[in-house]
Amino acid sequence: MQQDTKLKLLQVPAHQRTESDASHSYSVLDYYDSETILISEVGSDENLEPFVNLQPKSGEMFVPLLGTQNTSRVTNMDMRDSNESQMDTSMITNVSLGDASTITRNSRRSLPSLNSLIDPNIPPCIQPLTELRLKQNLDDKFDIYGFKKDSSLFTSTVESHNEWFSEYIPHLLTQKKKWLVLMKAHGLASRSDAPLPLRYPPKSEKVKKLVRRGIPPEWRGNAWFFYAGGYEKLNKNIGVYEKIVADTAGMQNKDTEVIERDLHRTFPDNKYFKPELVEGVAADSNKEAPMISALRRVLTAFAQFKPQIGYCQSLNFLVGLLLLFMSEERAFWMLVIITERIIPQVHSANLEGVHTDQGVLMICIHEYIPKLWSIIGKSFDGTVLKDDKILTRPPPLTLVTSAWFMSMFVGILPIESVLRIWDIIFYEGSKALFRLSLTICRLCMDHPNFAGSTRDSRNMEEQETDRIEIFQFIQNFPKSITDPSLLINLCFKKIGGYGFGFLSQDEINRCREFVAQQRSRLRTKKGSIAGQLSDSERASLQGSAKMDDEIHDVYGFQRSIMSGVAWNMHISSVMKKKLGKRPE
Amino acid sequence: MSARKKTLLKVIVLGDLGVGKTSLMQQFVNKKFSHQYKATIGADFLTKDLTIDNKTVSLQIWDTAGQERFQSLGVAFYRGADCCVLCYDVTNEKSLNNLSSWKDEFLVQSNVSNPQDFPFIIIGNKIDVDESKKIPSLQKKLLNITNNQLGGLNYPLFETSAKDSINVETAFENVARMALQQEELNGASRNDMNDDYHDAINIHLENDNSGCAC
């Protein structure tokens, strides 16, 4: 994306959204469709014509940016998905006008000097993928994203990669065709050789299905940005990234020290991050790869922008992958969206979000894969973790699964699987992380080599060996999941799959809230958690006294632990329906 | 596997980020070096069997994340360790100066019964690099750190290159030997219980309070 873009505002009133009611329960991020969306396009300042390739449906309204640009301080959204969905659109629209034009103009005025800091000339990494290009890739050492095909990490070779990829090419081509048809139906992009579309169809069941089958690689960056609410974020923060980059240029502190150590080990197997991987390209110690410089700028700017996070290892993987698909400014805002909305606090200084999300994941395993819980819900020495200790003594497996969340599967799964999951996450929200994590766990458990499932442990020592092997198995198994479609089908298919699609964002949000609450209570009271309910808890208890008993009855949680929190009423009913009996 | 009489020894590798902990472990266990290692998130371990003084032992080596904040993810697996490896990078003075913090952190979290004589070893990695990049007057600084200070780090020290496979094997053989001694010591101290399997992988996540004190 070029810096001197023309910005226009497209406003779609909420009541005119076209997605079906059903999609509501699936997608909290639907919300963003109703918000002000900013479209960027190259053009002159004076050109305020509506976005050209948009065919507005009747009633949709185009409003030029400089008139209604919202600059209210809605920027600091340290809230979870659920809160997002409750946020009233009036917050967005009901604001004083005027600032935006100033910001915009200022940022434009200062562009020349900033251009020397931000590199706008990094060529797009992912070329539009024609059948010819895809087939030509079979002769290449690098995959279509620039990663070396042979990888010791994923134990893949050029041959094994090509074997899989030649089967995957038809899927990519079919998907592209389907997307073109869909885009055409929405008047968005009609020809395969048209410029990369910036805008995508509003969320609907149909689009969701198509996203789950994969977004065309060359559209990914724009589609992720669009569906995750990137335009809305960028719109509120015009010029901000450039300013932070200017402010942080050459800065040296604790964060930048760590960033420097991670830059070159982010994607050392990718030709864009390490050009000398390509034959005939000499390593030039004086000239840094543009991608490395961009990675440094984004990470440094982010550390400055979010001091409560600073720099946390694993952010480098997120930004690194984003940069392969979008400009650094967009990558920056995507990172902000990820850390604010999708996995909040997961990278904060105390990693509290990791504790929260791992608590939620373990509860989900406990509820939905009870057999696996009976195997992993133990410390390595075999001490069974009591249910009410899930949150305070997480099983060793969380050392493995934490990384799944922190890096959103980068480096955990082969790249195509990561990208397909990212398609779903940016479209559907954080629930996808949980659904896919559960799928991987379940897939491990069903694997014939999974120690705990095949053997009846005979004595303590063998049991202990099993537990160690299980840990290692779940650590390593994901690296072998080269077929993303298999994984995703297993996740969502009710027949012939695990059907984890029933796990709603709402349920995840309530569960997160529950875990966070319990943890803060444990922190403050250090063990004396019994009794003492807050007013709101008491109220909710009174409102659902019957359900409350039922929860304890079903799950056997300590009353004090579960008091007043009814996040899992849904789990309870789902499980009853599903199993026809109480889960053990 | 049924007649597993070999002793399981648990080793924890600590040190600042980027000093080469993962590379050391990979070089020792899998005899390979790769530029592809990514930053370690959470924790990981590899096991390797080796024979020490005619005794077969299984070394369980835990690789840890170097960035400080990852400590909050649970360091419960430190418990039951038989040896701790403190790593620094010969080109990074800070990583050298941080060794004693890593040692303290380990002692606090592992709750070992004999902190005074618990076996630590120190590994200085990356000796393959150009002399000019190394910490100036490294030996003097090392002496300061190991000998002089109160609670100094007077432990066996090995300078290695995981990249060129220099001294890695030797270092870990010493690790195994020291761990074995420690394990036998532990075994002797609970002679009434025939549970020598117990400590090597005891991963009690008991530190409720510290676990949440983020």
Side-chain angles (χ1 to χ4, degrees), chain A residues 330-493:
Chain A
R330 284 168 166 236
F332 175 83
W333 292 113
M334 282 298 280
L335 186 65
V336 171
I337 287 168
I338 290 170
T339 53
E340 283 179 355
R341 278 177 211 158
I342 297 175
I343 37 175
Q345 293 184 60
V346 157
H347 300 89
S348 64
N350 57 10
L351 305 185
E352 185 56 29
V354 177
H355 296 284
T356 310
D357 284 350
Q358 292 311 302
V360 173
L361 183 65
M362 291 303 126
I363 288 173
C364 288
I365 291 178
H366 179 275
E367 297 307 324
Y368 298 129
I369 324 178
K371 188 181 160 199
L372 181 64
W373 178 257
S374 71
I375 297 166
I376 59 131
K378 293 171 183 164
S379 57
F380 275 166
D381 71 343
T383 311
V384 175
L385 299 164
K386 290 204 184 106
D387 289 348
D388 57 322
K389 299 285 188 214
I390 286 182
L391 306 182
T392 50
R393 296 181 194 182
L397 182 64
T398 54
L399 284 171
V400 177
T401 48
S402 299
W404 297 1
F405 280 65
M406 297 191 78
S407 64
M408 298 202 338
F409 293 113
V410 178
I412 310 290
L413 295 166
I415 192 66
E416 188 67 24
S417 298
V418 176
L419 295 169
R420 290 279 301 275
I421 290 178
W422 280 31
D423 290 347
I424 302 173
I425 290 173
F426 293 135
Y427 185 91
E428 301 190 40
S430 62
K431 65 187 174 191
L433 267 171
F434 291 91
R435 290 167 167 184
L436 268 312
S437 295
L438 286 173
T439 306
I440 294 169
C441 287
R442 186 63 208 276
L443 203 53
C444 285
M445 191 183 80
D446 290 350
H447 195 280
N449 293 349
F450 187 73
S453 61
T454 50
R455 282 186 256 170
D456 277 329
S457 302
R458 296 121 299 193
N459 60 45
M460 294 293 278
E461 286 185 32
E462 280 165 356
Q463 283 179 19
E464 164 208 307
T465 312
D466 284 353
R467 277 190 293 276
I468 293 169
E469 281 176 12
I470 286 164
F471 182 97
Q472 279 188 310
F473 189 82
I474 300 180
Q475 179 105 291
N476 293 320
F477 178 76
K479 297 192 175 78
S480 67
I481 305 177
T482 31
D483 183 359
S485 303
L486 175 90
L487 182 69
I488 288 162
N489 284 341
L490 275 176
C491 180
F492 294 108
K493 278 199 171 156

Side-chain angles (χ1 to χ4, degrees), chain A residues 138-277:
Chain A
L138 293 170
D139 300 324
D140 204 327
K141 268 170 60 185
F142 300 92
D143 71 10
I144 52 174
Y145 311 109
F147 289 97
K148 271 173 78 179
K149 287 178 180 175
D150 67 307
S151 154
S152 55
L153 184 63
F154 297 108
T155 56
S156 66
T157 60
V158 174
E159 292 72 34
S160 71
H161 181 278
N162 283 344
E163 195 183 327
W164 161 76
F165 190 62
S166 52
E167 282 175 25
Y168 196 66
I169 289 175
H171 174 80
L172 285 174
L173 293 170
T174 313
Q175 276 303 101
K176 181 69 182 284
K177 268 188 210 134
K178 287 186 180 169
W179 273 94
L180 283 170
V181 171
L182 177 84
M183 297 292 273
K184 199 173 179 180
H186 288 269
L188 291 168
S190 48
R191 297 194 319 275
S192 57
D193 57 347
L196 299 185
L198 296 168
R199 189 165 187 262
Y200 292 82
K203 291 183 180 181
S204 68
E205 278 296 301
K206 199 177 167 189
V207 176
K208 185 180 78 187
K209 285 209 173 83
L210 215 48
V211 168
R212 286 182 182 177
R213 294 181 57 81
I215 297 170
E218 68 269 32
W219 292 1
R220 268 203 172 103
N222 285 348
W224 289 347
F225 197 72
F226 180 86
Y227 286 121
Y231 287 110
E232 182 241 340
K233 205 66 173 163
L234 191 61
N235 175 17
K236 284 184 221 144
N237 296 282
I238 294 157
V240 170
Y241 174 70
E242 294 161 50
K243 187 169 184 315
I244 307 170
V245 169
D247 291 348
T248 55
M251 181 184 268
Q252 284 190 330
N253 57 35
K254 212 178 158 193
D255 286 322
T256 59
E257 203 178 293
V258 183
I259 290 169
E260 286 305 318
R261 299 211 140 218
D262 278 352
L263 290 177
H264 292 278
R265 54 176 183 164
T266 298
F267 290 134
D269 54 340
N270 186 291
K271 66 177 179 185
Y272 301 108
F273 286 83
K274 202 175 179 186
E276 63 264 32
L277 289 172

Side-chain angles (χ1 to χ4, degrees), chain B residues 7-8 80-82 113 182-202:
Chain B
T7 313
L8 187 57
D82 298 301
S113 54
Q182 168 74 6
E183 209 276 337
E184 281 162 356
L185 194 75
N186 282 346
S189 68
R190 4 160 259 268
N191 49 6
D192 54 333
M193 298 264 290
N194 185 21
D195 59 350
D196 62 333
Y197 62 87
H198 190 73
D199 254 4
I201 37 82
N202 188 340

